[in-house]
Amino acid sequence: MSLIYLYAFVSGITLGSFYNVAGLRIPQKKSILSPRSHCPHCLYVLSPQQLIPIVSYIKNAGKCSMCRKKISFIYPFIEFSTGSLFVYAVFKLNTTLELIVILTFVSFLTIIVVSDIAYMIVPNKVLLFFLPIFLFQRLFIPLTSWSDSLMGGGIAFFLLFLIAFLSRGGLGEGDIKLYGLIGIVLGVKLVLLSLFLAILIGGTVSIGALLMKKAKVGVPIPFVPFIFIGTIAAYFHGNELIDWYVSNYFY
């Protein structure tokens, strides 16, 4: 079993490296295949040995081996996070068909997180690419019912649209469409929990950043990372959280 976890982790960090590239290039309408990966500062093209996920970053102390300028910590963080979530998915779901759904879902969300952190954009190309995949997966690997996915996607989309309308642009158009896809995967109950957790975490972090003067009032911050945390928590532990809440506050 340990070999399966190792394979999942290596696969995850390797794909995580690719998701970094996809999240950075797709919003800029650049090819995800060429040119080869390079230093964002001096444009030095990296050799295969310099592209080993996490290891290369640690070996070079987080700096370009040529110009010695700092490389963003987001690269190894995304790689490690993807690898860790792949392992956790295998641990929770073993080799059931649902594992296919969550690995695809993690991949999708990771690309969106990178894009949102870098440009505060949720690329339509990524959404449109994964939409038919999630619909197809939920058709053959459904939740309690096929209708739960459709209702989850519809309710999440219109709820976010309503929030954006009432807040007069407090949410981006991309976040609205993103939650439509999240709803398809999670269904009604868990997508509502995902939204609650995302707002709770995002609001707490934002208030903390303002108090510590790390952010300014009126200056937007990326919201997708909070959506990511809330969604992953809801997917893996949503039913447990709901049961805990109901047992403690309604009985």
Side-chain angles (χ1 to χ4, degrees), residues 26-68:
I26 291 175
Q28 294 187 320
K29 299 180 180 180
K30 294 181 179 180
S31 170
I32 59 176
L33 300 178
S34 64
R36 288 169 50 191
S37 295
H38 53 270
C39 170
H41 305 293
C42 67
L43 304 182
Y44 169 70
V45 177
L46 304 178
S47 66
Q49 293 81 6
Q50 295 171 316
L51 290 172
I52 302 173
I54 301 176
V55 174
S56 296
Y57 185 89
I58 295 174
K59 181 181 178 181
N60 290 294
K63 298 179 180 179
C64 171
S65 60
M66 182 62 67
C67 69
R68 303 308 298 170

